Amino acid sequence: MTLQQNRPLNSQNVADALQKFNLKKTAVQKALDALADSGQISFKEYGKQKIYIARQDQFDIPNGEELEEMKKANAKLQGELADQKKAISEVESEVRGLQSNLTLAEIKSKEIKLQSEVQEMEEKLDKLRSGVILVKPEDKKIIEDSFAEKVNQWRKRKRMFKELWDNITENSPKDQKEFKEELGLEYDEDVGVNLQSYTEMLASLNKRRKISR
């Protein structure tokens, strides 16, 4: 339960979710403590209450590029969802218009056809909803913090490499480009990435965080 939802839970939350299995709170508490003792989950104590959480190191956290792709996919699905809702609204409007102009037999015939179309569109909507990526606030913070840390590490290591490279090549008679190829070194640009674009993304993220506080 804690791993599936990846959010803080107390023993009562878990017991409520497992009611259909007729598990008592005492048994659930023992099971949670056993999982915590074995290191599969962790917990924090708030007074007499224990709050259990999944260990975050067992989850794959997307990097900045993957996060950007997820955002694009989410925006695309949201657009498709809006289009489908608009189409359903138009069909329902057509049904209301037809009901005021057609005979009873024609209305029934049209209603069956339109209901079938609406059901088909609702099924498509359900599929879209199931594919939309929704990120919980606590998960979003973890991802954003991880992204910020990676960009800062990238910036720091890039600066360290430049200082080291300048010291090595300062008095070297070799051509720097040939020397770099001889050592098998690749710059960011060689693999199609740009620190500046990620730095701008991080600045935008920090700005949004300040506004939301």
PDB file of all heavy atoms in Angstrom, residues 32-45:
ATOM      1  N   LEU A  32       3.462  -3.492   9.559  1.00  0.00           N
ATOM      2  CA  LEU A  32       4.193  -2.271   9.198  1.00  0.00           C
ATOM      3  C   LEU A  32       5.499  -2.156   9.978  1.00  0.00           C
ATOM      4  O   LEU A  32       6.546  -1.783   9.423  1.00  0.00           O
ATOM      5  CB  LEU A  32       3.316  -1.041   9.446  1.00  0.00           C
ATOM      6  CG  LEU A  32       2.130  -0.853   8.496  1.00  0.00           C
ATOM      7  CD1 LEU A  32       1.218   0.260   8.991  1.00  0.00           C
ATOM      8  CD2 LEU A  32       2.608  -0.553   7.082  1.00  0.00           C
ATOM      9  N   ASP A  33       5.462  -2.491  11.263  1.00  0.00           N
ATOM     10  CA  ASP A  33       6.677  -2.432  12.080  1.00  0.00           C
ATOM     11  C   ASP A  33       7.713  -3.439  11.575  1.00  0.00           C
ATOM     12  O   ASP A  33       8.923  -3.162  11.580  1.00  0.00           O
ATOM     13  CB  ASP A  33       6.337  -2.708  13.550  1.00  0.00           C
ATOM     14  CG  ASP A  33       5.591  -1.543  14.199  1.00  0.00           C
ATOM     15  OD1 ASP A  33       5.713  -0.409  13.678  1.00  0.00           O
ATOM     16  OD2 ASP A  33       4.898  -1.768  15.205  1.00  0.00           O
ATOM     17  N   ALA A  34       7.215  -4.613  11.155  1.00  0.00           N
ATOM     18  CA  ALA A  34       8.128  -5.631  10.641  1.00  0.00           C
ATOM     19  C   ALA A  34       8.792  -5.158   9.344  1.00  0.00           C
ATOM     20  O   ALA A  34       9.989  -5.355   9.135  1.00  0.00           O
ATOM     21  CB  ALA A  34       7.367  -6.942  10.394  1.00  0.00           C
ATOM     22  N   LEU A  35       8.018  -4.526   8.477  1.00  0.00           N
ATOM     23  CA  LEU A  35       8.573  -3.983   7.232  1.00  0.00           C
ATOM     24  C   LEU A  35       9.589  -2.881   7.530  1.00  0.00           C
ATOM     25  O   LEU A  35      10.619  -2.777   6.857  1.00  0.00           O
ATOM     26  CB  LEU A  35       7.445  -3.444   6.352  1.00  0.00           C
ATOM     27  CG  LEU A  35       6.517  -4.473   5.700  1.00  0.00           C
ATOM     28  CD1 LEU A  35       5.340  -3.789   5.031  1.00  0.00           C
ATOM     29  CD2 LEU A  35       7.285  -5.316   4.684  1.00  0.00           C
ATOM     30  N   ALA A  36       9.282  -2.060   8.525  1.00  0.00           N
ATOM     31  CA  ALA A  36      10.204  -0.982   8.903  1.00  0.00           C
ATOM     32  C   ALA A  36      11.496  -1.562   9.478  1.00  0.00           C
ATOM     33  O   ALA A  36      12.599  -1.102   9.164  1.00  0.00           O
ATOM     34  CB  ALA A  36       9.533  -0.047   9.906  1.00  0.00           C
ATOM     35  N   ASP A  37      11.382  -2.600  10.315  1.00  0.00           N
ATOM     36  CA  ASP A  37      12.562  -3.237  10.914  1.00  0.00           C
ATOM     37  C   ASP A  37      13.459  -3.867   9.854  1.00  0.00           C
ATOM     38  O   ASP A  37      14.685  -3.893   9.988  1.00  0.00           O
ATOM     39  CB  ASP A  37      12.137  -4.301  11.935  1.00  0.00           C
ATOM     40  CG  ASP A  37      11.498  -3.671  13.187  1.00  0.00           C
ATOM     41  OD1 ASP A  37      11.719  -2.469  13.416  1.00  0.00           O
ATOM     42  OD2 ASP A  37      10.776  -4.394  13.899  1.00  0.00           O
ATOM     43  N   SER A  38      12.823  -4.394   8.791  1.00  0.00           N
ATOM     44  CA  SER A  38      13.602  -5.045   7.731  1.00  0.00           C
ATOM     45  C   SER A  38      14.160  -4.036   6.728  1.00  0.00           C
ATOM     46  O   SER A  38      14.895  -4.417   5.822  1.00  0.00           O
ATOM     47  CB  SER A  38      12.724  -6.068   6.991  1.00  0.00           C
ATOM     48  OG  SER A  38      11.674  -5.405   6.285  1.00  0.00           O
ATOM     49  N   GLY A  39      13.814  -2.776   6.886  1.00  0.00           N
ATOM     50  CA  GLY A  39      14.352  -1.738   6.008  1.00  0.00           C
ATOM     51  C   GLY A  39      13.612  -1.559   4.708  1.00  0.00           C
ATOM     52  O   GLY A  39      14.026  -0.805   3.843  1.00  0.00           O
ATOM     53  N   GLN A  40      12.473  -2.267   4.537  1.00  0.00           N
ATOM     54  CA  GLN A  40      11.713  -2.140   3.290  1.00  0.00           C
ATOM     55  C   GLN A  40      10.948  -0.828   3.230  1.00  0.00           C
ATOM     56  O   GLN A  40      10.665  -0.310   2.150  1.00  0.00           O
ATOM     57  CB  GLN A  40      10.753  -3.319   3.131  1.00  0.00           C
ATOM     58  CG  GLN A  40      11.475  -4.657   3.017  1.00  0.00           C
ATOM     59  CD  GLN A  40      10.495  -5.811   2.826  1.00  0.00           C
ATOM     60  OE1 GLN A  40       9.714  -5.816   1.879  1.00  0.00           O
ATOM     61  NE2 GLN A  40      10.530  -6.778   3.730  1.00  0.00           N
ATOM     62  N   ILE A  41      10.540  -0.306   4.384  1.00  0.00           N
ATOM     63  CA  ILE A  41       9.931   1.013   4.469  1.00  0.00           C
ATOM     64  C   ILE A  41      10.558   1.739   5.661  1.00  0.00           C
ATOM     65  O   ILE A  41      11.285   1.129   6.445  1.00  0.00           O
ATOM     66  CB  ILE A  41       8.392   0.952   4.642  1.00  0.00           C
ATOM     67  CG1 ILE A  41       8.027   0.221   5.953  1.00  0.00           C
ATOM     68  CG2 ILE A  41       7.723   0.277   3.462  1.00  0.00           C
ATOM     69  CD1 ILE A  41       6.534   0.229   6.264  1.00  0.00           C
ATOM     70  N   SER A  42      10.288   3.024   5.782  1.00  0.00           N
ATOM     71  CA  SER A  42      10.798   3.772   6.930  1.00  0.00           C
ATOM     72  C   SER A  42       9.629   4.454   7.633  1.00  0.00           C
ATOM     73  O   SER A  42       8.509   4.437   7.132  1.00  0.00           O
ATOM     74  CB  SER A  42      11.829   4.813   6.480  1.00  0.00           C
ATOM     75  OG  SER A  42      11.254   5.709   5.547  1.00  0.00           O
ATOM     76  N   PHE A  43       9.898   5.038   8.790  1.00  0.00           N
ATOM     77  CA  PHE A  43       8.818   5.709   9.524  1.00  0.00           C
ATOM     78  C   PHE A  43       9.366   6.870  10.329  1.00  0.00           C
ATOM     79  O   PHE A  43      10.567   6.968  10.591  1.00  0.00           O
ATOM     80  CB  PHE A  43       8.088   4.719  10.433  1.00  0.00           C
ATOM     81  CG  PHE A  43       8.903   4.273  11.622  1.00  0.00           C
ATOM     82  CD1 PHE A  43       8.870   4.961  12.839  1.00  0.00           C
ATOM     83  CD2 PHE A  43       9.725   3.156  11.520  1.00  0.00           C
ATOM     84  CE1 PHE A  43       9.628   4.546  13.905  1.00  0.00           C
ATOM     85  CE2 PHE A  43      10.499   2.739  12.592  1.00  0.00           C
ATOM     86  CZ  PHE A  43      10.441   3.445  13.799  1.00  0.00           C
ATOM     87  N   LYS A  44       8.441   7.759  10.697  1.00  0.00           N
ATOM     88  CA  LYS A  44       8.765   8.862  11.590  1.00  0.00           C
ATOM     89  C   LYS A  44       7.713   8.907  12.687  1.00  0.00           C
ATOM     90  O   LYS A  44       6.546   8.617  12.433  1.00  0.00           O
ATOM     91  CB  LYS A  44       8.793  10.193  10.836  1.00  0.00           C
ATOM     92  CG  LYS A  44       9.935  10.289   9.826  1.00  0.00           C
ATOM     93  CD  LYS A  44       9.945  11.657   9.155  1.00  0.00           C
ATOM     94  CE  LYS A  44      11.099  11.756   8.158  1.00  0.00           C
ATOM     95  NZ  LYS A  44      11.115  13.094   7.492  1.00  0.00           N
ATOM     96  N   GLU A  45       8.140   9.242  13.866  1.00  0.00           N
ATOM     97  CA  GLU A  45       7.210   9.289  14.992  1.00  0.00           C
ATOM     98  C   GLU A  45       6.797  10.730  15.274  1.00  0.00           C
ATOM     99  O   GLU A  45       7.624  11.630  15.334  1.00  0.00           O
ATOM    100  CB  GLU A  45       7.858   8.679  16.240  1.00  0.00           C
ATOM    101  CG  GLU A  45       8.101   7.183  16.118  1.00  0.00           C
ATOM    102  CD  GLU A  45       8.574   6.570  17.428  1.00  0.00           C
ATOM    103  OE1 GLU A  45       8.627   7.308  18.430  1.00  0.00           O
ATOM    104  OE2 GLU A  45       8.890   5.372  17.455  1.00  0.00           O
TER     105      GLU A  45
END
